[in-house]
Amino acid sequence: MARTVVGLFNSAAQAQQAVEKLLAADFARSNINIATPDTLRAQHLPADPGGSSTLPEPFEEGIVR
């Protein structure tokens, strides 16, 4: 049975350390995903020609749904 685990970190450095520990524990890199406000914006919102696109809600609020 596949399972999903989500971790929330206060900094990118902490998230990177978690990735390194998972890789050291033989997790496949292809099974590890990192989401940041910037990557979510790039994946889910159309590009704004003016360069001022923002998330429609605070990043953390989307996670609880």
Side-chain angles (χ1 to χ4, degrees):
M1 168 190 283
R3 295 181 186 212
T4 300
V5 176
V6 176
L8 301 175
F9 302 93
N10 290 322
S11 70
Q14 289 176 337
Q16 185 59 41
Q17 288 175 347
V19 168
E20 290 169 9
K21 287 181 180 183
L22 289 169
L23 293 173
D26 293 327
F27 282 79
R29 180 64 181 104
S30 61
N31 290 332
I32 302 170
N33 296 304
I34 298 176
T36 66
D38 291 336
T39 61
L40 291 174
R41 185 178 298 112
Q43 291 174 358
H44 299 292
L45 294 177
D48 180 6
S52 63
S53 66
T54 58
L55 289 172
E57 60 188 359
F59 175 66
E60 295 83 3
E61 288 181 19
I63 292 174
V64 292
R65 293 197 187 116

